[in-house]
Amino acid sequence: MQSAMPGGAAGLASGGAPGAGAEIGGLSALLQGLSGQPVALDPQQWTAIQQDYLRELGELWRQGLQVQPPRDDRRFASDAWARNPVAAHAAALYLLNARTLMRMADAVQADAKTRARIRFAVQQWIDASAPSNFWAFNAEAQQKAIETRGESIARGVQNLLHDLQQGYVSMTDHSAFEVGRNVATTEGQVVFENALFQLIEYKPLTTKVYERPFLVVPPCINKYYILDLQPDNSFLRYAVEQGHRTFVISWRNPDAMLAQATWDDYIEDAVIRAIDIVREIGKAETINALGFCVGGTMLGTALAVLAARGERKVQSATFLTTLLDFTDTGVLDVFIDEAFVRYRELQFANGGLLPGRELATTFSFLRPNDLVWNYVVGNYLKGETPPPFDLLYWNSDSTNLPGKWYAWYLRHLYLQNELCQPGKLTTCGQRLDLGAIDVPAYVYGSREDHIVPIGGAYASTQHLGGPVRFVMGASGHIAGVINPASKGKRSFWTGPEGHFPPAVDDWMAAATEHKGSWWTDWAPWLAAQAGRQVAAPRTYGNRRYRPIEPAPGRYVKVRAEDALATLATGGSTV
């Protein structure tokens, strides 16, 4: 493998030869096959890349075995790489080839989507072919094998066999966690359940609560307890501590019973149903609601359905890292085209389930060095056991999706972007218009989000019909959202009131940075929407919706693999 990557760039050496034009044509054909679209290479750029490569390669060979490994790349930062001249040279050669291949990908002349696909594919191959990923070239793994007298190799084989049996690469010590014991521990009761979800009401932590209840709609592609990992970083507990009578939807991990479930089912029988139940329990005409990621997309859809019906049941809406406008979907766009969506529609034409592990693998390979190869090296080459980490435990606790729901979502939102086009999309029998959602909205986006790019989150400001507050936080999709106020970490940015230019870059240019968590900005905003304070309830639910079981409930504990297995038996996991 180590020779494969240098060979991939070695053809550059013939840049001035008579066959160079044929080389460019051959590479164009290769890239066209990779992307499925016509591409071309600029001969002048190609020549410059060749010349730079030859110059850097010559310098590398002149250094011979005196080259030092790049300490700014954590894959090669260990002293073991510096003490092994052959390994250090291999690392330097690999990085030269990686830079060159990415320059080649960037030099492709094609439409933006084709270029993005080529760049993504090349980056995946570069990351996979790193010498650190192979024991024969990993100086650190070799040193550990010597120091442990081969024990690290034996443990690595055991780890590999274990992960092959479970079907995915271990990112954490799963035995250290249990839902309801040391994650998802905020006290509460399940007060309603149907085929799609359980509704959890949390115990008040204040003597008084706001009169308007608060409903959280998490993404159905994950489990809700990312919002309730530990007491000191639980967003749900924080909301309760602020005096809100808080409810959360806990989605069922789809099994055979949901193999025919649709997007409309989730909107009508889950989101809107939950809104009505919370209103009834709280004896409130309107409630405050929050949607996170896909949960925000479903909340926005539900609010548009209610607006089309002339019903005002929600006082304010918070959208966390949510896409309502799917123009900017970031790296995920490389997967979406007519052929892919049509394939999924045919696959799920008669129902079925998308395995949660398939989604989890896709998201992991959006950041392969952090979420794949890092653990391949640690678990298998070094024989290490990954340490306990609650967030990675949650990340591995995947959720299936109903196939019809998934295919509809791809077609109408990711591919055709119909939700933000007034009157284009029909859901639950209503033609939707986001502009008809005239309630106050708090829109949050994370600056380094690779799943919901900051531009995609910001785009909601251009469509919602009510007063909007947009806030940008530091970090990514999860770490940006789960940023406890008590820890005072990172930063967030706010802009001038009512200032929402079409481009997020223009908004950022006028924004002001604030140290700490965006939670401290959101809390007073929500309090202003929550009404007066009343005595906290002493019991859960009401006469109609009585407690069923303690939080976190049964639904969240079902594993995706167990739910998927019911397709063969026709049974249920709950």
Side-chain angles (χ1 to χ4, degrees), residues 200-256:
I200 297 171
E201 179 182 2
Y202 289 107
K203 180 180 179 180
L205 295 175
T206 53
T207 57
K208 291 188 175 183
V209 297
Y210 291 102
E211 63 178 338
R212 194 167 284 124
F214 176 53
L215 171 66
V216 176
V217 184
C220 61
I221 62 173
N222 302 111
K223 295 189 175 181
Y224 85 87
Y225 66 88
I226 184 58
L227 298 170
D228 189 31
L229 286 174
Q230 303 293 334
D232 66 346
N233 66 1
S234 171
F235 180 82
L236 292 172
R237 183 180 179 87
Y238 178 78
V240 175
E241 290 172 341
Q242 302 308 302
H244 298 285
R245 191 174 183 183
T246 302
F247 298 76
V248 68
I249 289 176
S250 174
W251 297 106
R252 180 177 183 164
N253 205 333
D255 54 19

Side-chain angles (χ1 to χ4, degrees), residues 292-315:
F292 178 22
C293 188
V294 180
T297 307
M298 291 195 291
L299 175 62
T301 303
L303 294 180
V305 170
L306 292 174
R309 293 173 178 171
E311 300 176 1
R312 187 184 180 93
K313 298 180 178 181
V314 173
Q315 176 68 25

Side-chain angles (χ1 to χ4, degrees), residues 6 71 91 97 168 179 245 316 344 357 503-504 513 517 559:
R71 293 299 186 121
N97 287 327
Y168 57 90
V179 176
R245 191 174 183 183
S316 75
R344 290 303 198 182
R357 187 52 49 197
V504 67
E513 181 177 0
S517 171
R559 307 290 296 183

Side-chain angles (χ1 to χ4, degrees), residues 476-501:
H477 190 68
I478 299 299
V481 171
I482 309 303
N483 183 23
S486 61
K487 297 186 178 181
K489 292 185 177 180
R490 305 190 182 95
S491 298
F492 65 93
W493 289 259
T494 60
E497 185 176 354
H499 175 70
F500 299 114

Side-chain angles (χ1 to χ4, degrees), residues 263 267 271-272 275 296-314 317 319 324 418-423 425-439 463-465:
W263 179 266
I267 300 304
V271 181
I272 294 177
I275 290 172
T297 307
M298 291 195 291
L299 175 62
T301 303
L303 294 180
V305 170
L306 292 174
R309 293 173 178 171
E311 300 176 1
R312 187 184 180 93
K313 298 180 178 181
V314 173
F319 298 100
L324 298 178
E418 295 175 352
L419 180 58
C420 67
Q421 303 176 50
L425 186 65
T426 298
T427 301
C428 301
Q430 303 295 326
R431 289 190 176 275
L432 307 187
D433 179 2
L434 293 177
I437 303 174
D438 59 0
V439 302
H463 301 288
L464 296 170

Side-chain angles (χ1 to χ4, degrees), residues 24-45:
I24 295 176
L27 183 59
S28 296
L30 174 64
L31 295 174
Q32 180 172 331
L34 188 66
S35 65
Q37 298 293 330
V39 301
L41 291 171
D42 182 342
Q44 290 185 334
Q45 284 186 285

Side-chain angles (χ1 to χ4, degrees), residues 69-78 81 91 94-95 130 132 369:
R71 293 299 186 121
D72 58 345
D73 190 318
R74 67 180 184 179
R75 293 172 295 180
F76 312 115
S78 167
W81 289 89
Y94 159 78
L95 291 172
S132 54
N369 283 333

